[in-house]
Amino acid sequence: MSLHLELQSKIGEHYADQLDGEVQLKQDALIAVFDTGLAVEFRYLNANEYSIQWAWGDAELRIDTAPLHRELSTFPNHLHDADARLKADTLTVPGREPWDNVRQLVDRLLQDPMLESN
């Protein structure tokens, strides 16, 4: 089973009561919309290479593992916040099981979609 199909199934099962419709499988991404208005796009190549972008109202944020920002303590993963500032990503860990990263991040986003207390 492909990684996106596996994540689609797990997200659909785990968050069934909080989703606004089914998790959509696109060519290279998953899109999940939650009943809070949170919309999350997951792009997982493998456990080390991923991009997770979400929208909350007009704000857009993203975590990715593009190896560009060596100055951050969490290199290569990093967070682009709603004000386009670059920050360390303390929620996901490259190499960790993708579902563990997804679950930890989504649980946090459902409580604090702007990651204001991060």
Side-chain angles (χ1 to χ4, degrees):
M1 177 183 286
S2 82
L3 181 53
H4 280 158
L5 286 173
E6 179 183 333
L7 290 173
Q8 179 187 32
S9 176
K10 288 182 176 184
I11 293 166
E13 290 172 18
H14 189 78
Y15 297 104
D17 294 338
Q18 295 164 290
L19 286 166
D20 186 13
E22 293 191 20
V23 179
Q24 300 173 39
L25 178 62
K26 301 297 183 181
Q27 184 175 0
D28 63 349
L30 291 173
I31 299 174
V33 179
F34 295 86
D35 58 9
T36 62
L38 174 70
V40 185
E41 179 182 275
F42 306 91
R43 293 178 185 270
Y44 256 91
L45 182 59
N46 56 51
N48 291 303
E49 299 172 287
Y50 53 87
S51 173
I52 306 169
Q53 181 170 320
W54 62 97
W56 172 253
D58 291 335
E60 292 185 10
L61 297 87
R62 182 178 82 241
I63 288 174
D64 67 69
T65 59
L68 302 173
H69 307 287
R70 293 186 183 278
E71 72 278 9
L72 295 175
S73 62
T74 59
F75 175 83
N77 53 317
H78 54 277
L79 167 69
H80 299 265
D81 74 8
D83 296 320
R85 291 179 301 216
L86 193 61
K87 296 182 175 181
D89 163 31
T90 60
L91 295 170
T92 71
V93 178
R96 185 165 60 183
E97 189 66 35
W99 170 239
D100 292 339
N101 276 334
V102 166
R103 188 180 64 233
Q104 180 167 330
L105 179 61
V106 171
D107 286 352
R108 179 68 182 280
L109 294 177
L110 289 171
Q111 296 173 0
D112 181 13
M114 300 293 287
L115 298 179
E116 293 174 330
S117 60
N118 189 25

Short mmCIF file of all heavy atoms in Angstrom, two decimals, residues 4-59:
data_model
loop_
_atom_site.label_atom_id
_atom_site.label_comp_id
_atom_site.label_asym_id
_atom_site.label_seq_id
_atom_site.Cartn_x
_atom_site.Cartn_y
_atom_site.Cartn_z
N HIS A 4 0.58 7.42 0.96
CA HIS A 4 -0.58 8.31 0.98
C HIS A 4 -1.88 7.54 1.21
O HIS A 4 -2.76 8.02 1.94
CB HIS A 4 -0.67 9.15 -0.29
CG HIS A 4 0.24 10.32 -0.28
ND1 HIS A 4 0.65 10.94 -1.42
CD2 HIS A 4 0.84 11.00 0.74
CE1 HIS A 4 1.45 11.96 -1.10
NE2 HIS A 4 1.58 12.00 0.19
N LEU A 5 -2.01 6.37 0.63
CA LEU A 5 -3.21 5.56 0.87
C LEU A 5 -3.30 5.13 2.33
O LEU A 5 -4.37 5.15 2.93
CB LEU A 5 -3.23 4.33 -0.05
CG LEU A 5 -3.56 4.59 -1.50
CD1 LEU A 5 -3.39 3.30 -2.32
CD2 LEU A 5 -4.97 5.13 -1.65
N GLU A 6 -2.17 4.77 2.90
CA GLU A 6 -2.12 4.38 4.31
C GLU A 6 -2.51 5.55 5.21
O GLU A 6 -3.33 5.40 6.12
CB GLU A 6 -0.72 3.89 4.66
CG GLU A 6 -0.56 3.47 6.11
CD GLU A 6 0.87 3.06 6.41
OE1 GLU A 6 1.59 2.61 5.51
OE2 GLU A 6 1.26 3.21 7.59
N LEU A 7 -1.94 6.72 4.93
CA LEU A 7 -2.27 7.90 5.73
C LEU A 7 -3.72 8.32 5.54
O LEU A 7 -4.38 8.72 6.50
CB LEU A 7 -1.33 9.06 5.40
CG LEU A 7 0.11 8.90 5.87
CD1 LEU A 7 0.97 10.03 5.32
CD2 LEU A 7 0.20 8.84 7.39
N GLN A 8 -4.22 8.21 4.33
CA GLN A 8 -5.63 8.54 4.07
C GLN A 8 -6.55 7.68 4.94
O GLN A 8 -7.48 8.20 5.56
CB GLN A 8 -5.96 8.32 2.59
CG GLN A 8 -7.40 8.62 2.23
CD GLN A 8 -7.73 8.23 0.80
OE1 GLN A 8 -7.18 7.28 0.25
NE2 GLN A 8 -8.64 8.98 0.20
N SER A 9 -6.26 6.41 5.00
CA SER A 9 -7.06 5.50 5.81
C SER A 9 -6.97 5.84 7.30
O SER A 9 -7.99 5.91 8.00
CB SER A 9 -6.60 4.06 5.57
OG SER A 9 -7.28 3.17 6.40
N LYS A 10 -5.77 6.06 7.78
CA LYS A 10 -5.58 6.34 9.20
C LYS A 10 -6.20 7.68 9.61
O LYS A 10 -6.82 7.78 10.66
CB LYS A 10 -4.09 6.30 9.56
CG LYS A 10 -3.54 4.89 9.56
CD LYS A 10 -2.09 4.85 9.97
CE LYS A 10 -1.62 3.41 10.05
NZ LYS A 10 -0.27 3.29 10.54
N ILE A 11 -6.03 8.71 8.78
CA ILE A 11 -6.63 10.01 9.08
C ILE A 11 -8.15 9.87 9.08
O ILE A 11 -8.83 10.37 9.99
CB ILE A 11 -6.17 11.07 8.06
CG1 ILE A 11 -4.68 11.37 8.22
CG2 ILE A 11 -7.00 12.36 8.22
CD1 ILE A 11 -4.08 12.15 7.05
N GLY A 12 -8.69 9.20 8.08
CA GLY A 12 -10.14 9.01 7.98
C GLY A 12 -10.72 8.28 9.17
O GLY A 12 -11.79 8.64 9.68
N GLU A 13 -10.02 7.26 9.64
CA GLU A 13 -10.50 6.49 10.80
C GLU A 13 -10.34 7.28 12.10
O GLU A 13 -11.26 7.38 12.90
CB GLU A 13 -9.74 5.17 10.90
CG GLU A 13 -10.08 4.18 9.82
CD GLU A 13 -9.19 2.96 9.84
OE1 GLU A 13 -8.53 2.69 10.88
OE2 GLU A 13 -9.13 2.25 8.82
N HIS A 14 -9.15 7.81 12.32
CA HIS A 14 -8.83 8.46 13.59
C HIS A 14 -9.63 9.75 13.81
O HIS A 14 -10.03 10.04 14.94
CB HIS A 14 -7.33 8.75 13.67
CG HIS A 14 -6.86 9.22 15.00
ND1 HIS A 14 -6.66 8.36 16.06
CD2 HIS A 14 -6.58 10.46 15.46
CE1 HIS A 14 -6.26 9.05 17.11
NE2 HIS A 14 -6.20 10.34 16.78
N TYR A 15 -9.86 10.50 12.75
CA TYR A 15 -10.53 11.80 12.87
C TYR A 15 -11.94 11.78 12.27
O TYR A 15 -12.48 12.84 11.95
CB TYR A 15 -9.68 12.88 12.20
CG TYR A 15 -8.34 13.08 12.86
CD1 TYR A 15 -7.18 12.58 12.29
CD2 TYR A 15 -8.24 13.75 14.08
CE1 TYR A 15 -5.95 12.73 12.91
CE2 TYR A 15 -7.02 13.91 14.71
CZ TYR A 15 -5.88 13.40 14.11
OH TYR A 15 -4.66 13.56 14.74
N ALA A 16 -12.54 10.63 12.16
CA ALA A 16 -13.85 10.49 11.50
C ALA A 16 -14.89 11.49 12.02
O ALA A 16 -15.65 12.06 11.25
CB ALA A 16 -14.37 9.06 11.65
N ASP A 17 -14.92 11.71 13.33
CA ASP A 17 -15.92 12.61 13.91
C ASP A 17 -15.57 14.08 13.76
O ASP A 17 -16.39 14.94 14.07
CB ASP A 17 -16.11 12.29 15.40
CG ASP A 17 -16.70 10.92 15.63
OD1 ASP A 17 -17.34 10.38 14.70
OD2 ASP A 17 -16.51 10.36 16.72
N GLN A 18 -14.36 14.38 13.30
CA GLN A 18 -13.92 15.77 13.19
C GLN A 18 -13.72 16.23 11.75
O GLN A 18 -13.46 17.40 11.50
CB GLN A 18 -12.62 15.96 13.99
CG GLN A 18 -12.83 15.73 15.48
CD GLN A 18 -11.52 15.54 16.19
OE1 GLN A 18 -10.86 14.54 16.02
NE2 GLN A 18 -11.14 16.53 16.97
N LEU A 19 -13.82 15.30 10.80
CA LEU A 19 -13.62 15.64 9.40
C LEU A 19 -14.89 16.21 8.79
O LEU A 19 -16.00 15.80 9.13
CB LEU A 19 -13.19 14.41 8.61
CG LEU A 19 -11.76 13.96 8.82
CD1 LEU A 19 -11.55 12.56 8.25
CD2 LEU A 19 -10.79 14.94 8.18
N ASP A 20 -14.72 17.12 7.86
CA ASP A 20 -15.82 17.66 7.09
C ASP A 20 -15.75 17.01 5.70
O ASP A 20 -15.21 17.59 4.76
CB ASP A 20 -15.70 19.19 6.99
CG ASP A 20 -16.89 19.83 6.31
OD1 ASP A 20 -17.92 19.14 6.13
OD2 ASP A 20 -16.79 21.01 5.94
N GLY A 21 -16.19 15.78 5.61
CA GLY A 21 -16.09 15.01 4.37
C GLY A 21 -14.94 14.04 4.43
O GLY A 21 -14.24 13.93 5.43
N GLU A 22 -14.74 13.35 3.33
CA GLU A 22 -13.68 12.34 3.25
C GLU A 22 -12.33 12.98 2.95
O GLU A 22 -12.25 14.05 2.35
CB GLU A 22 -14.02 11.32 2.17
CG GLU A 22 -15.25 10.49 2.53
CD GLU A 22 -15.43 9.31 1.61
OE1 GLU A 22 -14.46 8.90 0.95
OE2 GLU A 22 -16.55 8.80 1.56
N VAL A 23 -11.28 12.30 3.38
CA VAL A 23 -9.92 12.73 3.06
C VAL A 23 -9.71 12.49 1.56
O VAL A 23 -9.92 11.38 1.08
CB VAL A 23 -8.87 11.95 3.88
CG1 VAL A 23 -7.47 12.38 3.52
CG2 VAL A 23 -9.13 12.12 5.37
N GLN A 24 -9.33 13.53 0.84
CA GLN A 24 -9.17 13.45 -0.61
C GLN A 24 -7.76 13.03 -0.97
O GLN A 24 -6.79 13.59 -0.46
CB GLN A 24 -9.47 14.80 -1.24
CG GLN A 24 -10.86 15.31 -1.00
CD GLN A 24 -11.00 16.73 -1.53
OE1 GLN A 24 -10.47 17.06 -2.59
NE2 GLN A 24 -11.69 17.56 -0.79
N LEU A 25 -7.66 12.07 -1.87
CA LEU A 25 -6.37 11.64 -2.39
C LEU A 25 -6.18 12.30 -3.74
O LEU A 25 -6.97 12.09 -4.66
CB LEU A 25 -6.34 10.11 -2.52
CG LEU A 25 -5.06 9.50 -3.09
CD1 LEU A 25 -3.87 9.81 -2.21
CD2 LEU A 25 -5.24 8.00 -3.26
N LYS A 26 -5.15 13.12 -3.86
CA LYS A 26 -4.79 13.76 -5.11
C LYS A 26 -3.58 13.04 -5.69
O LYS A 26 -3.08 12.09 -5.10
CB LYS A 26 -4.48 15.25 -4.88
CG LYS A 26 -5.64 16.03 -4.29
CD LYS A 26 -6.82 16.05 -5.22
CE LYS A 26 -7.95 16.89 -4.67
NZ LYS A 26 -9.10 16.92 -5.53
N GLN A 27 -3.07 13.50 -6.82
CA GLN A 27 -1.96 12.81 -7.47
C GLN A 27 -0.77 12.62 -6.54
O GLN A 27 -0.20 11.54 -6.47
CB GLN A 27 -1.54 13.56 -8.72
CG GLN A 27 -0.46 12.84 -9.48
CD GLN A 27 -0.14 13.52 -10.79
OE1 GLN A 27 -0.72 14.52 -11.14
NE2 GLN A 27 0.80 12.96 -11.53
N ASP A 28 -0.39 13.67 -5.80
CA ASP A 28 0.78 13.56 -4.94
C ASP A 28 0.53 14.16 -3.55
O ASP A 28 1.46 14.58 -2.88
CB ASP A 28 2.00 14.23 -5.58
CG ASP A 28 1.81 15.73 -5.80
OD1 ASP A 28 0.67 16.21 -5.66
OD2 ASP A 28 2.80 16.42 -6.10
N ALA A 29 -0.73 14.18 -3.14
CA ALA A 29 -1.05 14.79 -1.85
C ALA A 29 -2.36 14.25 -1.30
O ALA A 29 -3.16 13.64 -2.02
CB ALA A 29 -1.17 16.31 -2.00
N LEU A 30 -2.55 14.48 -0.03
CA LEU A 30 -3.82 14.22 0.65
C LEU A 30 -4.36 15.56 1.14
O LEU A 30 -3.59 16.41 1.59
CB LEU A 30 -3.62 13.34 1.88
CG LEU A 30 -3.22 11.92 1.69
CD1 LEU A 30 -2.91 11.29 3.04
CD2 LEU A 30 -4.34 11.15 1.01
N ILE A 31 -5.67 15.72 1.09
CA ILE A 31 -6.27 16.94 1.61
C ILE A 31 -7.36 16.54 2.59
O ILE A 31 -8.25 15.75 2.26
CB ILE A 31 -6.85 17.82 0.49
CG1 ILE A 31 -5.73 18.24 -0.45
CG2 ILE A 31 -7.57 19.03 1.07
CD1 ILE A 31 -6.16 18.98 -1.68
N ALA A 32 -7.26 17.07 3.80
CA ALA A 32 -8.25 16.80 4.85
C ALA A 32 -8.81 18.14 5.31
O ALA A 32 -8.06 19.06 5.63
CB ALA A 32 -7.60 16.07 6.02
N VAL A 33 -10.12 18.22 5.34
CA VAL A 33 -10.81 19.42 5.83
C VAL A 33 -11.56 19.02 7.09
O VAL A 33 -12.30 18.02 7.08
CB VAL A 33 -11.77 20.01 4.77
CG1 VAL A 33 -12.48 21.23 5.31
CG2 VAL A 33 -10.99 20.35 3.50
N PHE A 34 -11.38 19.79 8.13
CA PHE A 34 -11.97 19.48 9.43
C PHE A 34 -13.16 20.38 9.70
O PHE A 34 -13.29 21.47 9.11
CB PHE A 34 -10.92 19.60 10.53
CG PHE A 34 -9.82 18.58 10.38
CD1 PHE A 34 -8.72 18.82 9.57
CD2 PHE A 34 -9.91 17.36 11.03
CE1 PHE A 34 -7.73 17.87 9.41
CE2 PHE A 34 -8.93 16.40 10.88
CZ PHE A 34 -7.82 16.65 10.07
N ASP A 35 -14.02 19.95 10.60
CA ASP A 35 -15.24 20.70 10.90
C ASP A 35 -14.97 22.04 11.58
O ASP A 35 -15.88 22.86 11.73
CB ASP A 35 -16.22 19.86 11.72
CG ASP A 35 -15.65 19.35 13.04
OD1 ASP A 35 -14.55 19.77 13.44
OD2 ASP A 35 -16.33 18.52 13.67
N THR A 36 -13.74 22.31 11.94
CA THR A 36 -13.35 23.60 12.51
C THR A 36 -13.02 24.63 11.43
O THR A 36 -12.77 25.79 11.73
CB THR A 36 -12.10 23.44 13.40
OG1 THR A 36 -11.03 22.98 12.57
CG2 THR A 36 -12.35 22.48 14.54
N GLY A 37 -12.95 24.18 10.17
CA GLY A 37 -12.53 25.04 9.07
C GLY A 37 -11.07 24.86 8.70
O GLY A 37 -10.61 25.40 7.71
N LEU A 38 -10.34 24.10 9.48
CA LEU A 38 -8.94 23.81 9.20
C LEU A 38 -8.85 22.91 7.97
O LEU A 38 -9.53 21.90 7.88
CB LEU A 38 -8.31 23.10 10.41
CG LEU A 38 -6.89 22.58 10.25
CD1 LEU A 38 -5.90 23.75 10.18
CD2 LEU A 38 -6.54 21.64 11.39
N ALA A 39 -8.00 23.29 7.01
CA ALA A 39 -7.75 22.48 5.82
C ALA A 39 -6.25 22.16 5.78
O ALA A 39 -5.43 23.07 5.87
CB ALA A 39 -8.16 23.22 4.56
N VAL A 40 -5.91 20.88 5.66
CA VAL A 40 -4.52 20.44 5.71
C VAL A 40 -4.19 19.64 4.45
O VAL A 40 -4.94 18.75 4.06
CB VAL A 40 -4.24 19.57 6.96
CG1 VAL A 40 -2.75 19.24 7.06
CG2 VAL A 40 -4.73 20.24 8.23
N GLU A 41 -3.05 19.98 3.85
CA GLU A 41 -2.55 19.24 2.70
C GLU A 41 -1.26 18.53 3.11
O GLU A 41 -0.32 19.18 3.58
CB GLU A 41 -2.27 20.19 1.54
CG GLU A 41 -1.72 19.51 0.32
CD GLU A 41 -1.41 20.50 -0.78
OE1 GLU A 41 -2.33 20.83 -1.55
OE2 GLU A 41 -0.25 20.95 -0.85
N PHE A 42 -1.23 17.22 2.92
CA PHE A 42 -0.09 16.40 3.29
C PHE A 42 0.60 15.92 2.02
O PHE A 42 -0.05 15.34 1.14
CB PHE A 42 -0.53 15.16 4.08
CG PHE A 42 -1.36 15.46 5.29
CD1 PHE A 42 -2.75 15.51 5.20
CD2 PHE A 42 -0.77 15.67 6.52
CE1 PHE A 42 -3.52 15.78 6.32
CE2 PHE A 42 -1.54 15.94 7.65
CZ PHE A 42 -2.91 15.99 7.55
N ARG A 43 1.90 16.14 1.93
CA ARG A 43 2.70 15.60 0.83
C ARG A 43 3.87 14.85 1.46
O ARG A 43 4.77 15.46 2.01
CB ARG A 43 3.24 16.73 -0.05
CG ARG A 43 2.16 17.46 -0.81
CD ARG A 43 2.75 18.61 -1.63
NE ARG A 43 1.72 19.37 -2.25
CZ ARG A 43 1.21 19.13 -3.46
NH1 ARG A 43 1.68 18.13 -4.16
NH2 ARG A 43 0.25 19.88 -3.95
N TYR A 44 3.81 13.53 1.37
CA TYR A 44 4.84 12.68 1.95
C TYR A 44 5.51 11.87 0.86
O TYR A 44 4.88 11.04 0.22
CB TYR A 44 4.21 11.71 2.97
CG TYR A 44 4.45 12.10 4.40
CD1 TYR A 44 3.56 12.91 5.09
CD2 TYR A 44 5.59 11.68 5.06
CE1 TYR A 44 3.78 13.27 6.41
CE2 TYR A 44 5.83 12.04 6.38
CZ TYR A 44 4.92 12.83 7.04
OH TYR A 44 5.17 13.19 8.35
N LEU A 45 6.80 12.12 0.65
CA LEU A 45 7.58 11.27 -0.25
C LEU A 45 8.03 10.03 0.52
O LEU A 45 7.95 8.91 0.04
CB LEU A 45 8.77 12.04 -0.80
CG LEU A 45 9.64 11.29 -1.79
CD1 LEU A 45 8.84 10.85 -3.00
CD2 LEU A 45 10.83 12.14 -2.22
N ASN A 46 8.49 10.27 1.75
CA ASN A 46 8.90 9.19 2.65
C ASN A 46 8.99 9.78 4.05
O ASN A 46 8.65 10.94 4.26
CB ASN A 46 10.23 8.56 2.19
CG ASN A 46 11.35 9.57 2.07
OD1 ASN A 46 11.62 10.35 2.99
ND2 ASN A 46 12.01 9.59 0.92
N ALA A 47 9.47 9.01 5.01
CA ALA A 47 9.50 9.47 6.40
C ALA A 47 10.43 10.66 6.62
O ALA A 47 10.27 11.38 7.60
CB ALA A 47 9.91 8.32 7.32
N ASN A 48 11.36 10.88 5.71
CA ASN A 48 12.32 11.98 5.86
C ASN A 48 12.00 13.21 5.02
O ASN A 48 12.52 14.28 5.28
CB ASN A 48 13.73 11.50 5.50
CG ASN A 48 14.27 10.54 6.52
OD1 ASN A 48 14.35 10.85 7.70
ND2 ASN A 48 14.61 9.35 6.07
N GLU A 49 11.17 13.05 4.01
CA GLU A 49 10.89 14.13 3.07
C GLU A 49 9.38 14.37 3.00
O GLU A 49 8.65 13.52 2.47
CB GLU A 49 11.44 13.79 1.69
CG GLU A 49 12.95 13.60 1.70
CD GLU A 49 13.47 13.09 0.38
OE1 GLU A 49 13.24 11.89 0.08
OE2 GLU A 49 14.09 13.88 -0.34
N TYR A 50 8.96 15.51 3.50
CA TYR A 50 7.54 15.81 3.53
C TYR A 50 7.29 17.30 3.59
O TYR A 50 8.17 18.10 3.94
CB TYR A 50 6.85 15.12 4.71
CG TYR A 50 7.48 15.37 6.06
CD1 TYR A 50 7.13 16.48 6.83
CD2 TYR A 50 8.43 14.49 6.58
CE1 TYR A 50 7.71 16.70 8.08
CE2 TYR A 50 9.00 14.70 7.82
CZ TYR A 50 8.64 15.81 8.56
OH TYR A 50 9.21 16.03 9.80
N SER A 51 6.08 17.65 3.24
CA SER A 51 5.60 19.02 3.35
C SER A 51 4.15 18.93 3.81
O SER A 51 3.35 18.19 3.23
CB SER A 51 5.68 19.73 1.99
OG SER A 51 5.07 21.00 2.06
N ILE A 52 3.83 19.66 4.86
CA ILE A 52 2.46 19.69 5.38
C ILE A 52 2.06 21.15 5.46
O ILE A 52 2.67 21.93 6.19
CB ILE A 52 2.36 19.01 6.76
CG1 ILE A 52 2.93 17.59 6.71
CG2 ILE A 52 0.91 19.03 7.24
CD1 ILE A 52 3.11 16.93 8.06
N GLN A 53 1.06 21.50 4.69
CA GLN A 53 0.60 22.89 4.62
C GLN A 53 -0.83 22.95 5.10
O GLN A 53 -1.62 22.04 4.84
CB GLN A 53 0.69 23.37 3.17
CG GLN A 53 0.27 24.80 2.98
CD GLN A 53 0.61 25.29 1.59
OE1 GLN A 53 1.65 24.98 1.03
NE2 GLN A 53 -0.29 26.06 1.01
N TRP A 54 -1.17 24.01 5.83
CA TRP A 54 -2.55 24.14 6.28
C TRP A 54 -3.03 25.58 6.19
O TRP A 54 -2.24 26.51 6.19
CB TRP A 54 -2.74 23.58 7.68
CG TRP A 54 -1.97 24.23 8.77
CD1 TRP A 54 -2.41 25.20 9.63
CD2 TRP A 54 -0.61 23.96 9.16
NE1 TRP A 54 -1.42 25.54 10.52
CE2 TRP A 54 -0.30 24.80 10.25
CE3 TRP A 54 0.38 23.10 8.68
CZ2 TRP A 54 0.94 24.79 10.86
CZ3 TRP A 54 1.61 23.10 9.29
CH2 TRP A 54 1.88 23.93 10.37
N ALA A 55 -4.34 25.69 6.10
CA ALA A 55 -4.98 27.00 6.04
C ALA A 55 -6.01 27.08 7.14
O ALA A 55 -6.74 26.12 7.43
CB ALA A 55 -5.65 27.20 4.68
N TRP A 56 -6.05 28.25 7.74
CA TRP A 56 -7.01 28.56 8.80
C TRP A 56 -7.48 29.97 8.50
O TRP A 56 -6.72 30.92 8.66
CB TRP A 56 -6.35 28.44 10.15
CG TRP A 56 -7.16 28.91 11.31
CD1 TRP A 56 -6.97 30.05 12.05
CD2 TRP A 56 -8.30 28.29 11.87
NE1 TRP A 56 -7.91 30.15 13.02
CE2 TRP A 56 -8.75 29.08 12.95
CE3 TRP A 56 -9.00 27.12 11.57
CZ2 TRP A 56 -9.85 28.75 13.71
CZ3 TRP A 56 -10.09 26.79 12.33
CH2 TRP A 56 -10.51 27.60 13.39
N GLY A 57 -8.69 30.10 7.99
CA GLY A 57 -9.14 31.40 7.53
C GLY A 57 -8.26 31.85 6.38
O GLY A 57 -8.02 31.09 5.43
N ASP A 58 -7.74 33.06 6.46
CA ASP A 58 -6.85 33.59 5.42
C ASP A 58 -5.39 33.23 5.66
O ASP A 58 -4.54 33.50 4.81
CB ASP A 58 -6.97 35.11 5.34
CG ASP A 58 -8.33 35.55 4.81
OD1 ASP A 58 -8.98 34.77 4.09
OD2 ASP A 58 -8.75 36.67 5.14
N ALA A 59 -5.08 32.65 6.79
CA ALA A 59 -3.69 32.33 7.14
C ALA A 59 -3.27 31.00 6.53
O ALA A 59 -4.05 30.05 6.50
CB ALA A 59 -3.53 32.28 8.65
#
